[in-house]
Amino acid sequence: MRILVSGASIAGPVLAYWLVRNGHEVTVVERSPVLRKTGGHAVDLFKPAMDISERMGVLPRIEALATGTTRLTYLREGTRKPISADVTKLFAAASDRHVEVMRDDLSEIYYDATRADVEYVFGDSITSIGDEVTFEAGAPRRFDLVIGADGLHSNVRRLVFGEVGKAFVGAYLAVLSVPKNLGVPGEMAGHIGPGRTAAAYGARHLDDARAVFLFRSPELSYHHRDVARQKQLLRQAFAGLHHEVDSWLEHLDGDGAFYFDSITQLRGDTWSRGRVALVGDAAYCPGPAIGGSTSLAVLGAYVLAGELSTGSDHPAAFARYEDAMREVVHASRAFALGTAKTLIPSTRLGVSALVRGAQLLTSLPSWLIRPLAKLNSKGVRMHDSMRVKDYGRQGAATATP
Ligand SMILES: Cc1cc2nc3c(=O)[nH]c(=O)nc-3n(C[C@H](O)[C@H](O)[C@H](O)COP(=O)(O)OP(=O)(O)OC[C@H]3O[C@@H](n4cnc5c(N)ncnc54)[C@H](O)[C@@H]3O)c2cc1C
């Protein structure tokens, strides 16, 4: 089949990889004029996404670019003594296999794995989907299927599904590029107060460091492409937390990479209509930064391609894809709501409990943390409970030991 995918970030290239392996002809259209390496934060790949990346043969490169963060050090607002925690123990408890990698690096790795076999069209966007697909810039073309992998604000979803159920989680995420000397490789060091937290970190291979900001707020009024307004809102939200945070925010005046989004969950349970389907954040974003959306996007792309490879017609394949993903999507939504509450406590008491809890947990020996975490597969180990189905030819073709 000739398949058009909208979006070249995580879900788009992973989907394209598996579709091509199954003999489909794939075009990916991306609105950005080049692959977006625009300052995303570190994202987590949990076991299922690691297994899929291994089958794609890209795991060694991902692991080589891991951020290598091992320590969290936080200063509570109004206190003088920072508290540290060993983050490797937390992740070892959460997943049997995990890597933290910059979103931009991950996107580039998946893109590199596909660009020889996939037609990538940058700097364009779909304007309508009928017998023909029309574009802002390119000439109309015909495709058998169209897949939206174009993120939380998906264009394909808007064109085909209109308004879908969304739930604003009550918080925002921003990531800012800051000079390399402001972040320490291997450590995320920051400040936390009621309803807001900010930290900076580096990684050996990066030319810069990143400052990441999470804050609670009622829904703010801004357009998702109005960067100047987003920067203004970020400054307001972090005023007075700590002079070190102010020094990071000074870099908002430059033109360094910047990412800002609301932590919003999509609540729809149907991700296909006719010959169009959605994958990744476009379909079931559980909320950036809090719900394992990257792992979910990788798994969803693999499952969608796998179901389309079974030889049956696409409506049946889409229905099986939806059935396969529903449970894990619901679990991710619940996980994300819990994480938002825990990571951004709204009271001083909540802040103390979080910081002391992390410190206490990581002071326990690993042999004790891991079995404790395993008692609850729907909680911290939710991601590892996602099953990676073997699609026969698809899996076997590329399986790595
Ligand atoms: C620049 C950027 C930075 C990010 N930083 C973080 C972060 O720091 N922390 C975090 O948790 N998550 C971040 N995310 C989101 C994270 O990548 C996703 O949650 C997750 O990896 C799922 O990926 P996805 O491919 O489904 O969606 P996304 O990663 O959101 O990718 C969607 C892609 O579609 C493209 N697109 C959008 N509209 C159109 C259109 N009309 N036509 C064609 N293409 C279009 C976008 O440019 C993008 O490349 C970021 C996303 C982007 C795009």
Side-chain angles (χ1 to χ4, degrees), residues 289-375:
I290 54 168
S293 53
T294 304
S295 291
L296 198 59
V298 171
L299 181 71
Y302 172 84
V303 171
L304 176 55
E307 295 300 344
L308 284 169
S309 74
T310 57
S312 55
D313 56 358
H314 74 265
F318 284 170
R320 283 194 306 274
Y321 156 64
E322 292 177 333
D323 287 346
M325 292 303 294
R326 205 161 280 126
E327 193 181 331
V328 78
V329 166
H330 287 183
S332 296
R333 285 177 193 157
F335 177 85
L337 293 179
T339 312
K341 242 190 223 153
T342 311
L343 273 189
I344 329 169
S346 46
T347 60
R348 277 190 187 281
L349 211 61
V351 171
S352 298
L354 170 65
V355 173
R356 289 195 191 291
Q359 197 185 30
L360 179 70
L361 188 64
T362 62
S363 67
L364 296 174
S366 308
W367 59 264
L368 188 57
I369 299 178
R370 202 180 261 264
L372 280 176
K374 282 192 173 171
L375 289 176

Side-chain angles (χ1 to χ4, degrees), residues 49-289:
M50 298 272 284
D51 291 350
I52 292 164
S53 300
E54 186 168 51
R55 292 180 192 188
M56 294 170 70
V58 297
L59 194 57
R61 202 173 153 206
I62 293 175
E63 288 179 324
L65 291 177
T67 56
T69 304
T70 57
R71 286 209 81 67
L72 288 179
T73 303
Y74 271 84
L75 186 64
R76 270 182 296 146
E77 190 174 2
T79 66
R80 284 164 177 269
K81 196 165 169 262
I83 290 185
S84 256
D86 177 352
V87 76
T88 54
K89 284 191 186 171
L90 292 177
F91 280 120
S95 183
D96 289 340
R97 237 181 154 188
H98 163 267
V99 69
E100 186 189 68
V101 59
M102 301 307 291
R103 188 214 77 92
D104 306 354
D105 288 335
L106 187 64
S107 174
E108 187 169 46
I109 290 169
Y110 291 143
Y111 167 69
D112 284 346
T114 51
R115 64 178 169 170
D117 306 311
V118 170
E119 180 195 19
Y120 277 93
V121 179
F122 285 95
D124 208 349
S125 175
I126 299 170
T127 48
S128 70
I129 303 171
D131 289 341
E132 288 188 323
V133 178
T134 60
F135 298 91
E136 268 171 24
R141 293 172 65 174
R142 285 180 182 273
F143 294 92
D144 299 304
L145 301 179
V146 179
I147 314 290
D150 42 8
L152 182 57
H153 309 283
S154 169
N155 178 45
V156 170
R157 192 181 68 233
R158 184 180 53 79
L159 289 171
V160 176
F161 294 73
E163 271 306 306
V164 297
K166 286 182 190 165
F168 171 56
V169 170
Y172 288 83
L173 161 72
V175 186
L176 169 66
S177 167
V178 294
K180 192 173 172 74
N181 65 320
L182 297 184
V184 179
E187 182 176 28
M188 179 173 277
H191 301 269
I192 183 163
R196 55 188 181 167
T197 172
Y201 63 98
R204 262 180 303 278
H205 70 283
L206 291 179
D207 298 332
D208 60 351
R210 305 286 160 94
V212 56
F213 305 82
L214 282 164
F215 65 99
R216 288 187 175 278
S217 164
E219 207 150 358
L220 298 167
S221 154
Y222 70 97
H223 188 276
H224 69 266
R225 277 190 238 123
D226 185 349
V227 173
R229 169 93 179 122
Q230 293 165 13
K231 289 182 173 179
Q232 180 196 24
L233 291 169
L234 188 64
R235 277 198 182 91
Q236 284 168 5
F238 282 86
L241 177 57
H242 192 271
H243 58 82
E244 189 178 27
V245 178
D246 296 342
S247 73
W248 300 335
L249 289 170
E250 277 170 21
H251 298 279
L252 283 172
D253 293 330
D255 54 5
F258 177 69
Y259 170 81
F260 185 99
D261 214 337
S262 69
I263 303 189
T264 294
Q265 276 194 349
L266 295 180
R267 288 284 173 85
D269 272 348
T270 309
W271 309 305
S272 67
R273 186 169 293 172
R275 58 195 187 89
V276 178
L278 302 172
V279 68
D281 275 10
Y284 29 71
C285 180

